[in-house]
Every structure is written in structure tokens, then in C-alpha cells.
């Protein structure tokens, strides 16, 4: 059986030095070895060290002079509450702008 792989290459006869038994033995040992890798030499999970980031609301975007960071009631105790309150402030600001636009539209457009 002659096989040519690329144009311009010479014909090569495909021969096998492994028998079917050797291939099956190799496949069984590879499968058994891969399955046993999960059991042999496994390490116990170690506790991860947590790195606490220092959250500073004074360093966030939107803090400007002359007031700086303004939270007199102390609602922003951590980063999660700060982000939650900031999202709510944006949402309420957008709704207020839409309300003002609606009032302006009502004064300019009169329906019969």
C-alpha cells in the first residue's frame, strides 16, 4: 500500500511495527493510568489566603471639591452598600429628568 502525502514527495510504504494486541494493551494502560491519576498523589485543598482590599469612598469617581465625599449620615459603610446606593442615585436621577421633560412637554404641547 503506497501513500503519498504531499506533491513532490516520494511514495512511502505504510508499515506497522505494533500488533493489534500491543495497541489494545497500550490503550488499556493509558486509560487505567488516566483514571488513577485522580486518586494517587492528590493534595488536600488548602485554605486560601484572602487579601482584603481597602475600599476608600473618597477615591471614587465623582468626589469633587469643595465638599469631597459627602455622606453625613454614614450610609456607605462598605463597598457593596456604596455601589448599591450609587446605582439607586443614578436611577432616581434619570427618572427625575424624565419627569421634568414630561412637565415641559405638557406645557408646550396642548391636546384638544
Amino acid at each position: 500500500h503506497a501513500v503519498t502525502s504531499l506533491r513532490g514527495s516520494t511514495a512511502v510504504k505504510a508499515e506497522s511495527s505494533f500488533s493489534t494486541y500491543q495497541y489494545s494493551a497500550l490503550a488499556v494502560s493509558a486509560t487505567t493510568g488516566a483514571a488513577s491519576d485522580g486518586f494517587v498523589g492528590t493534595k488536600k485543598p488548602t485554605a486560601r489566603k484572602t487579601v482584603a482590599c481597602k475600599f476608600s469612598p473618597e477615591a471614587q469617581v465623582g468626589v469633587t471639591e469643595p465638599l469631597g465625599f459627602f455622606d453625613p449620615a454614614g450610609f456607605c459603610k462598605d463597598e457593596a452598600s456604596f455601589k448599591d446606593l450609587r446605582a439607586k442615585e443614578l436611577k432616581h436621577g434619570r427618572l427625575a429628568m424624565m419627569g421634568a421633560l414630561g412637565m415641559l412637554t405638557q406645557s408646550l404641547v396642548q391636546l384638544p
Side-chain angles (χ1 to χ4, degrees), residues 12-86:
V12 177
K13 185 175 181 184
E15 293 183 11
S16 174
S17 61
F18 284 110
S19 67
T20 306
Y21 173 74
Q22 289 172 332
Y23 276 125
S24 63
L26 181 65
V28 169
S29 65
T31 306
T32 307
S36 67
D37 283 344
F39 300 110
V40 178
T42 57
K43 293 182 180 179
K44 293 183 180 180
T46 58
R48 292 185 179 184
K49 294 180 182 178
T50 57
V51 177
C53 296
K54 297 289 183 182
F55 174 72
S56 173
E58 292 85 12
Q60 299 301 312
V61 175
V63 177
T64 57
E65 292 299 327
L67 292 177
F69 177 68
F70 184 74
D71 185 22
F75 289 126
C76 298
K77 292 179 177 55
D78 59 348
E79 185 176 6
S81 64
F82 177 82
K83 288 185 177 182
D84 181 52
L85 290 173
R86 178 170 274 190

